[in-house]
Amino acid sequence: MMSSNQAMLYFAYGSNLHRADWRKFCRRHGQADDPLTPLGPAWLPDHRPVYHYYSVSREGGALDVVGDLGQVTPGMLFQVSEPGWELLDRKEGAPGYYQRTPIALLTEDGGVCSAFTYQVVPERRESDFVPPTSEYLALVRDALAQWDLTGEAHKQAAAGDVPAPLVQHLFVYGLLQSGYVFGRFLDGQCRREPATAPGRVYDLGAYPAWQPAQAPHERVSGELLRFTAPASVLERTDAAEDFVGYGADSHYHRVLLRARSRAGGEVLAWCYRYARDLSQARRVPDGRWQPQQAETAEQLWAGHLGG
């Protein structure tokens, strides 16, 4: 996670992505310079966009994000200068309408960082879908396009639907591969194919550890799993990998990367990143992990949950 002196970052996922609209608001409130500096695209894990709040100023539904296992919401990460938070709070009507919420964000290279975003306060949420106006939809559509962000989940949310999960793959490099007990409990729930992904793999004996690549040529071999019901699969793999959130209590963190199948296609996929010390671990030079000894699958299962 990001250190405390870097933690005051902001994640935008809706209308605040629209640079002209945001800067117009800033100027109207006496701020000539834009207090938001873009740092890059990011994903809010296990959340999806939703319209369940009526905005008086927008005269219709306005975006929010809610927790939903396996979903991801695209957006941009910004550094905020000193007057920025006051302006953001004012624009979002915080704390009476939206509230500033601490979150964990993912980047497509396996990175995890801390930031803040805005969510509608519970008492302002409607029980039913609140349709947005065509003007607001155009603003959000154009905002996402300005940063080359996918708008598919937002489009489905604007129709009152639960979006189809944008990430439907899991890259595995250890005991979740076929042939191990962990892998067997996924049989029938996914389709597998050989794949590689950027990164490094370390041998911890009975299980491996993945970390992001430090050079462009570094890749890890494994399998790419595609599933039709991500939430039900991830609930089981999260438990197997001892992932309980993006904090110190987890053994692994569920992150994102770009995996490449043997056929050559590249997809955004989940992967489990080791979240503890690796200073004494041995790196696997060719990126293909195998147990050091010929333990049976049952012994591997008993040894540790991992990989």
Side-chain angles (χ1 to χ4, degrees), residues 43 70-72 164-170 227 230 234 256 268-270:
W43 299 87
Q71 295 273 3
V72 291
L166 293 175
V167 182
Q168 299 185 346
H169 292 82
L170 171 65
F227 26 70
L234 292 176
L256 292 171
L268 187 63
W270 297 108

PDB file of all heavy atoms in Angstrom, residues 43 70-72 164-170 227 230 234 256 268-270:
ATOM      1  N   TRP A  43      -8.141   1.082 -11.382  1.00  0.00           N
ATOM      2  CA  TRP A  43      -9.384   0.320 -11.258  1.00  0.00           C
ATOM      3  C   TRP A  43      -9.762   0.218  -9.779  1.00  0.00           C
ATOM      4  O   TRP A  43      -8.905  -0.059  -8.941  1.00  0.00           O
ATOM      5  CB  TRP A  43      -9.210  -1.089 -11.816  1.00  0.00           C
ATOM      6  CG  TRP A  43      -8.848  -1.148 -13.273  1.00  0.00           C
ATOM      7  CD1 TRP A  43      -7.604  -1.091 -13.816  1.00  0.00           C
ATOM      8  CD2 TRP A  43      -9.748  -1.304 -14.371  1.00  0.00           C
ATOM      9  NE1 TRP A  43      -7.662  -1.182 -15.190  1.00  0.00           N
ATOM     10  CE2 TRP A  43      -8.974  -1.321 -15.553  1.00  0.00           C
ATOM     11  CE3 TRP A  43     -11.138  -1.423 -14.461  1.00  0.00           C
ATOM     12  CZ2 TRP A  43      -9.548  -1.460 -16.810  1.00  0.00           C
ATOM     13  CZ3 TRP A  43     -11.710  -1.560 -15.726  1.00  0.00           C
ATOM     14  CH2 TRP A  43     -10.913  -1.574 -16.884  1.00  0.00           C
ATOM     15  N   GLY A  70     -15.867  -9.132  -7.525  1.00  0.00           N
ATOM     16  CA  GLY A  70     -15.501  -9.489  -8.887  1.00  0.00           C
ATOM     17  C   GLY A  70     -15.702  -8.385  -9.903  1.00  0.00           C
ATOM     18  O   GLY A  70     -15.197  -8.480 -11.023  1.00  0.00           O
ATOM     19  N   GLN A  71     -16.431  -7.338  -9.544  1.00  0.00           N
ATOM     20  CA  GLN A  71     -16.611  -6.208 -10.452  1.00  0.00           C
ATOM     21  C   GLN A  71     -15.417  -5.259 -10.327  1.00  0.00           C
ATOM     22  O   GLN A  71     -14.688  -5.277  -9.329  1.00  0.00           O
ATOM     23  CB  GLN A  71     -17.890  -5.454 -10.109  1.00  0.00           C
ATOM     24  CG  GLN A  71     -19.164  -6.248 -10.325  1.00  0.00           C
ATOM     25  CD  GLN A  71     -19.684  -6.137 -11.754  1.00  0.00           C
ATOM     26  OE1 GLN A  71     -19.068  -5.502 -12.614  1.00  0.00           O
ATOM     27  NE2 GLN A  71     -20.831  -6.740 -12.016  1.00  0.00           N
ATOM     28  N   VAL A  72     -15.221  -4.433 -11.336  1.00  0.00           N
ATOM     29  CA  VAL A  72     -14.211  -3.367 -11.274  1.00  0.00           C
ATOM     30  C   VAL A  72     -14.792  -2.114 -11.915  1.00  0.00           C
ATOM     31  O   VAL A  72     -15.570  -2.196 -12.865  1.00  0.00           O
ATOM     32  CB  VAL A  72     -12.897  -3.750 -11.990  1.00  0.00           C
ATOM     33  CG1 VAL A  72     -12.159  -4.845 -11.245  1.00  0.00           C
ATOM     34  CG2 VAL A  72     -13.147  -4.156 -13.434  1.00  0.00           C
ATOM     35  N   ALA A 164     -22.098  -6.538 -16.690  1.00  0.00           N
ATOM     36  CA  ALA A 164     -21.345  -7.784 -16.789  1.00  0.00           C
ATOM     37  C   ALA A 164     -19.926  -7.518 -16.309  1.00  0.00           C
ATOM     38  O   ALA A 164     -19.358  -6.467 -16.619  1.00  0.00           O
ATOM     39  CB  ALA A 164     -21.331  -8.281 -18.228  1.00  0.00           C
ATOM     40  N   PRO A 165     -19.334  -8.421 -15.530  1.00  0.00           N
ATOM     41  CA  PRO A 165     -17.974  -8.176 -15.014  1.00  0.00           C
ATOM     42  C   PRO A 165     -16.990  -7.896 -16.141  1.00  0.00           C
ATOM     43  O   PRO A 165     -16.931  -8.627 -17.127  1.00  0.00           O
ATOM     44  CB  PRO A 165     -17.636  -9.480 -14.286  1.00  0.00           C
ATOM     45  CG  PRO A 165     -18.962 -10.049 -13.906  1.00  0.00           C
ATOM     46  CD  PRO A 165     -19.887  -9.689 -15.030  1.00  0.00           C
ATOM     47  N   LEU A 166     -16.219  -6.832 -15.998  1.00  0.00           N
ATOM     48  CA  LEU A 166     -15.236  -6.467 -17.017  1.00  0.00           C
ATOM     49  C   LEU A 166     -14.032  -7.397 -16.997  1.00  0.00           C
ATOM     50  O   LEU A 166     -13.335  -7.539 -18.004  1.00  0.00           O
ATOM     51  CB  LEU A 166     -14.776  -5.026 -16.806  1.00  0.00           C
ATOM     52  CG  LEU A 166     -15.831  -3.934 -17.039  1.00  0.00           C
ATOM     53  CD1 LEU A 166     -15.272  -2.561 -16.666  1.00  0.00           C
ATOM     54  CD2 LEU A 166     -16.296  -3.945 -18.487  1.00  0.00           C
ATOM     55  N   VAL A 167     -13.749  -8.015 -15.852  1.00  0.00           N
ATOM     56  CA  VAL A 167     -12.628  -8.945 -15.729  1.00  0.00           C
ATOM     57  C   VAL A 167     -13.198 -10.346 -15.520  1.00  0.00           C
ATOM     58  O   VAL A 167     -13.830 -10.616 -14.494  1.00  0.00           O
ATOM     59  CB  VAL A 167     -11.700  -8.569 -14.561  1.00  0.00           C
ATOM     60  CG1 VAL A 167     -10.517  -9.531 -14.477  1.00  0.00           C
ATOM     61  CG2 VAL A 167     -11.202  -7.139 -14.700  1.00  0.00           C
ATOM     62  N   GLN A 168     -12.978 -11.209 -16.497  1.00  0.00           N
ATOM     63  CA  GLN A 168     -13.539 -12.558 -16.453  1.00  0.00           C
ATOM     64  C   GLN A 168     -12.459 -13.631 -16.499  1.00  0.00           C
ATOM     65  O   GLN A 168     -12.741 -14.788 -16.799  1.00  0.00           O
ATOM     66  CB  GLN A 168     -14.531 -12.745 -17.599  1.00  0.00           C
ATOM     67  CG  GLN A 168     -15.710 -11.788 -17.527  1.00  0.00           C
ATOM     68  CD  GLN A 168     -16.753 -12.056 -18.593  1.00  0.00           C
ATOM     69  OE1 GLN A 168     -16.528 -12.779 -19.558  1.00  0.00           O
ATOM     70  NE2 GLN A 168     -17.925 -11.469 -18.422  1.00  0.00           N
ATOM     71  N   HIS A 169     -11.221 -13.235 -16.212  1.00  0.00           N
ATOM     72  CA  HIS A 169     -10.103 -14.177 -16.241  1.00  0.00           C
ATOM     73  C   HIS A 169      -9.303 -14.105 -14.944  1.00  0.00           C
ATOM     74  O   HIS A 169      -9.277 -13.068 -14.279  1.00  0.00           O
ATOM     75  CB  HIS A 169      -9.158 -13.872 -17.410  1.00  0.00           C
ATOM     76  CG  HIS A 169      -9.756 -14.124 -18.765  1.00  0.00           C
ATOM     77  ND1 HIS A 169     -10.581 -13.211 -19.389  1.00  0.00           N
ATOM     78  CD2 HIS A 169      -9.641 -15.171 -19.613  1.00  0.00           C
ATOM     79  CE1 HIS A 169     -10.948 -13.689 -20.561  1.00  0.00           C
ATOM     80  NE2 HIS A 169     -10.387 -14.871 -20.731  1.00  0.00           N
ATOM     81  N   LEU A 170      -8.644 -15.205 -14.641  1.00  0.00           N
ATOM     82  CA  LEU A 170      -7.726 -15.291 -13.512  1.00  0.00           C
ATOM     83  C   LEU A 170      -6.453 -15.971 -13.998  1.00  0.00           C
ATOM     84  O   LEU A 170      -6.503 -17.064 -14.578  1.00  0.00           O
ATOM     85  CB  LEU A 170      -8.347 -16.118 -12.379  1.00  0.00           C
ATOM     86  CG  LEU A 170      -7.447 -16.487 -11.193  1.00  0.00           C
ATOM     87  CD1 LEU A 170      -7.023 -15.239 -10.424  1.00  0.00           C
ATOM     88  CD2 LEU A 170      -8.167 -17.469 -10.259  1.00  0.00           C
ATOM     89  N   PHE A 227     -13.934 -17.663 -16.539  1.00  0.00           N
ATOM     90  CA  PHE A 227     -15.120 -18.163 -15.864  1.00  0.00           C
ATOM     91  C   PHE A 227     -16.325 -17.298 -16.208  1.00  0.00           C
ATOM     92  O   PHE A 227     -16.205 -16.113 -16.529  1.00  0.00           O
ATOM     93  CB  PHE A 227     -14.945 -18.215 -14.352  1.00  0.00           C
ATOM     94  CG  PHE A 227     -13.943 -17.229 -13.795  1.00  0.00           C
ATOM     95  CD1 PHE A 227     -14.209 -15.878 -13.783  1.00  0.00           C
ATOM     96  CD2 PHE A 227     -12.725 -17.671 -13.307  1.00  0.00           C
ATOM     97  CE1 PHE A 227     -13.296 -14.976 -13.266  1.00  0.00           C
ATOM     98  CE2 PHE A 227     -11.806 -16.767 -12.799  1.00  0.00           C
ATOM     99  CZ  PHE A 227     -12.088 -15.416 -12.772  1.00  0.00           C
ATOM    100  N   PRO A 230     -17.717 -14.958 -12.153  1.00  0.00           N
ATOM    101  CA  PRO A 230     -16.506 -14.597 -11.402  1.00  0.00           C
ATOM    102  C   PRO A 230     -16.695 -14.550  -9.894  1.00  0.00           C
ATOM    103  O   PRO A 230     -15.820 -14.976  -9.142  1.00  0.00           O
ATOM    104  CB  PRO A 230     -16.151 -13.214 -11.960  1.00  0.00           C
ATOM    105  CG  PRO A 230     -16.753 -13.184 -13.321  1.00  0.00           C
ATOM    106  CD  PRO A 230     -18.014 -13.966 -13.201  1.00  0.00           C
ATOM    107  N   LEU A 234     -14.222 -16.371  -7.355  1.00  0.00           N
ATOM    108  CA  LEU A 234     -13.309 -15.552  -6.567  1.00  0.00           C
ATOM    109  C   LEU A 234     -13.557 -15.698  -5.074  1.00  0.00           C
ATOM    110  O   LEU A 234     -12.621 -15.575  -4.273  1.00  0.00           O
ATOM    111  CB  LEU A 234     -13.438 -14.087  -6.973  1.00  0.00           C
ATOM    112  CG  LEU A 234     -12.946 -13.743  -8.379  1.00  0.00           C
ATOM    113  CD1 LEU A 234     -13.218 -12.280  -8.692  1.00  0.00           C
ATOM    114  CD2 LEU A 234     -11.470 -14.069  -8.545  1.00  0.00           C
ATOM    115  N   LEU A 256      -4.444  -6.907 -10.539  1.00  0.00           N
ATOM    116  CA  LEU A 256      -4.727  -6.993 -11.961  1.00  0.00           C
ATOM    117  C   LEU A 256      -3.436  -6.980 -12.770  1.00  0.00           C
ATOM    118  O   LEU A 256      -2.451  -6.347 -12.386  1.00  0.00           O
ATOM    119  CB  LEU A 256      -5.595  -5.816 -12.408  1.00  0.00           C
ATOM    120  CG  LEU A 256      -7.025  -5.788 -11.885  1.00  0.00           C
ATOM    121  CD1 LEU A 256      -7.692  -4.458 -12.225  1.00  0.00           C
ATOM    122  CD2 LEU A 256      -7.839  -6.943 -12.456  1.00  0.00           C
ATOM    123  N   LEU A 268      -7.179  -8.551 -19.606  1.00  0.00           N
ATOM    124  CA  LEU A 268      -7.026  -8.099 -18.230  1.00  0.00           C
ATOM    125  C   LEU A 268      -7.482  -9.236 -17.322  1.00  0.00           C
ATOM    126  O   LEU A 268      -8.587  -9.769 -17.504  1.00  0.00           O
ATOM    127  CB  LEU A 268      -7.858  -6.846 -17.996  1.00  0.00           C
ATOM    128  CG  LEU A 268      -7.700  -6.136 -16.650  1.00  0.00           C
ATOM    129  CD1 LEU A 268      -6.278  -5.611 -16.468  1.00  0.00           C
ATOM    130  CD2 LEU A 268      -8.705  -4.998 -16.538  1.00  0.00           C
ATOM    131  N   ALA A 269      -6.654  -9.605 -16.357  1.00  0.00           N
ATOM    132  CA  ALA A 269      -6.951 -10.758 -15.516  1.00  0.00           C
ATOM    133  C   ALA A 269      -6.592 -10.476 -14.066  1.00  0.00           C
ATOM    134  O   ALA A 269      -5.708  -9.666 -13.764  1.00  0.00           O
ATOM    135  CB  ALA A 269      -6.175 -11.982 -16.004  1.00  0.00           C
ATOM    136  N   TRP A 270      -7.282 -11.165 -13.188  1.00  0.00           N
ATOM    137  CA  TRP A 270      -6.910 -11.165 -11.781  1.00  0.00           C
ATOM    138  C   TRP A 270      -5.660 -12.025 -11.591  1.00  0.00           C
ATOM    139  O   TRP A 270      -5.413 -12.941 -12.373  1.00  0.00           O
ATOM    140  CB  TRP A 270      -8.026 -11.725 -10.918  1.00  0.00           C
ATOM    141  CG  TRP A 270      -9.308 -10.959 -10.911  1.00  0.00           C
ATOM    142  CD1 TRP A 270     -10.486 -11.319 -11.492  1.00  0.00           C
ATOM    143  CD2 TRP A 270      -9.563  -9.697 -10.277  1.00  0.00           C
ATOM    144  NE1 TRP A 270     -11.451 -10.368 -11.265  1.00  0.00           N
ATOM    145  CE2 TRP A 270     -10.907  -9.356 -10.514  1.00  0.00           C
ATOM    146  CE3 TRP A 270      -8.763  -8.819  -9.529  1.00  0.00           C
ATOM    147  CZ2 TRP A 270     -11.478  -8.186 -10.031  1.00  0.00           C
ATOM    148  CZ3 TRP A 270      -9.335  -7.650  -9.044  1.00  0.00           C
ATOM    149  CH2 TRP A 270     -10.677  -7.344  -9.292  1.00  0.00           C
TER     150      TRP A 270
END
